[in-house]
Amino acid sequence: DRVDLILKIFAKHAKTSEAKLQIKLAAIDHMGPRIFGMGMEMMQQAGGIGGRAGQGESNTEMMKRHLGAQADRVREELERLAIGRKGTRTRRDRLGLKTVSIVGYTNAGKSSLLNAVTKKGAYVANKLFATLDTRVGELWLPEAKTSVLMSDTIGFIQDLPPQLISAFRSTLDETIDADLLLHVIDVNDPYLHEKITEVEEILTDLETNHIPKIYVFNKIDLKKRLPRATLLKQYKQFKPVFVSAQTKEGLAELKTQIEAQFFAKSRS
């Protein structure tokens, strides 16, 4: 089914121990509801061939306990890793480092943007979920004469299953704890407005509405007729910026917008 397919794609691109554990937990949680149906089938088979009553049910309960124990072990390991990452974020705060998180629909060019402005060298591919693990790079702001940390998270998709949001919440903590969000959008996508809505709904689920946000319309080098005026008017509250991570057009303006957000925050 759809969740199985998403998990297989996630598993293909997972690199870190945390990502692999998150996928394992999501798979266990997804399998759980199927166990009951399988148990009913086993009970019917057992009854049909004269087997002991309840044998199928006991097998199902055994599988449930096994999966439950596995899930508990994975959650304990994820919690340990999350504590370590929380300590890293605490050290960043102590040093006064601001954080910017790149979010957006999968394949909108988030990793390309991270590479273009930080020289991080994150993996870039024209594939769904090519970047599963969070990447962090350093962005130098020339006017402020300081650096901020920029992170790239997994791409969102339409109707992202709730159990996957929960399973990957520790990866998305980088988004939750950011000082500023860059919502990257493929300006060439014919469904860009629908995808913007999808991403915003997930960000609402993650309780990030209090975090300032800039809309970054990417891939303008591929658009012959750019509806700049229309998009500026429709999304003016998010200070839209038009860039090409490929040709570097608009990146200077993006840095200026990021600086303005932090300067405004420091004056408030």
Side-chain angles (χ1 to χ4, degrees):
D1 63 15
R2 186 168 183 267
V3 174
D4 287 326
L5 177 61
I6 293 171
L7 287 171
K8 283 182 173 61
I9 297 172
F10 277 169
K12 181 179 179 181
H13 295 292
K15 297 294 186 295
T16 67
S17 298
E18 184 173 13
K20 292 173 183 177
L21 286 169
Q22 289 166 336
I23 292 166
K24 185 175 182 179
L25 180 60
I28 292 171
D29 288 343
H30 183 54
M31 286 176 63
R34 302 179 179 195
I35 298 299
F36 177 75
M38 185 163 58
M40 292 297 291
E41 182 179 321
M42 290 168 68
M43 287 174 65
Q44 291 169 359
Q45 290 174 349
I49 61 174
R52 286 186 300 156
Q55 182 64 41
E57 184 180 10
S58 64
N59 287 343
T60 303
E61 291 302 320
M62 189 182 307
M63 293 174 70
K64 283 183 178 179
R65 285 195 296 272
H66 176 67
L67 285 176
Q70 274 195 318
D72 288 342
R73 287 194 293 270
V74 172
R75 288 190 185 97
E76 287 175 6
E77 182 62 16
L78 281 172
E79 185 175 347
R80 185 183 68 79
L81 292 172
I83 290 172
R85 290 196 304 106
K86 184 177 181 180
T88 300
R89 289 195 299 272
T90 300
R91 286 192 292 275
R92 291 178 192 169
D93 292 341
R94 196 176 298 127
L95 293 171
L97 292 173
K98 298 293 186 182
T99 57
V100 179
S101 185
I102 304 174
V103 300
Y105 222 81
T106 189
N107 212 27
K110 301 185 306 301
S111 295
S112 296
L113 181 65
L114 179 71
N115 289 347
V117 296
T118 69
K119 312 299 183 187
K120 174 65 179 176
Y123 176 64
V124 177
N126 186 26
K127 299 177 182 178
L128 292 177
F129 315 109
T131 305
L132 180 63
D133 308 302
T134 300
R135 314 282 194 219
V136 180
E138 187 177 8
L139 170 64
W140 173 254
L141 299 176
E143 293 296 325
K145 294 183 174 57
T146 187
S147 294
V148 298
L149 296 179
M150 182 174 286
S151 63
D152 173 24
T153 58
I154 62 172
F156 298 157
I157 60 170
Q158 185 176 12
D159 300 323
L160 185 66
Q163 63 267 43
L164 294 189
I165 295 178
S166 176
F168 285 84
R169 192 174 182 89
S170 58
T171 293
L172 295 174
D173 276 348
E174 289 287 351
T175 300
I176 297 168
D177 291 340
D179 296 298
L180 175 66
L181 300 181
L182 300 185
H183 181 172
V184 180
I185 303 147
D186 181 354
V187 75
N188 299 280
D189 195 319
Y191 303 104
L192 70 89
H193 299 292
E194 291 85 352
K195 291 181 177 180
I196 287 172
T197 300
E198 287 285 344
V199 171
E200 291 298 335
E201 287 176 354
I202 295 172
L203 291 175
T204 297
D205 289 341
L206 293 170
E207 301 177 354
T208 63
N209 289 337
H210 63 286
I211 303 176
K213 194 181 309 171
I214 296 174
Y215 276 10
V216 183
F217 289 95
N218 190 26
K219 305 185 183 181
I220 61 173
D221 56 306
L222 303 178
K223 190 77 171 176
K224 290 183 178 179
R225 293 180 129 186
L226 183 64
R228 188 185 298 260
T230 301
L231 293 172
L232 279 170
K233 182 178 180 180
Q234 185 168 358
Y235 299 111
K236 62 181 179 180
Q237 70 270 35
F238 298 115
K239 309 291 192 301
V241 179
F242 300 85
V243 307
S244 167
Q246 189 69 31
T247 66
K248 309 297 190 293
E249 184 180 353
L251 296 186
E253 182 185 352
L254 175 60
K255 290 183 181 181
T256 299
Q257 285 279 27
I258 292 172
E259 287 178 326
Q261 285 285 350
F262 286 132
F263 286 150
K265 196 169 184 178
S266 64
R267 288 196 300 266
S268 59

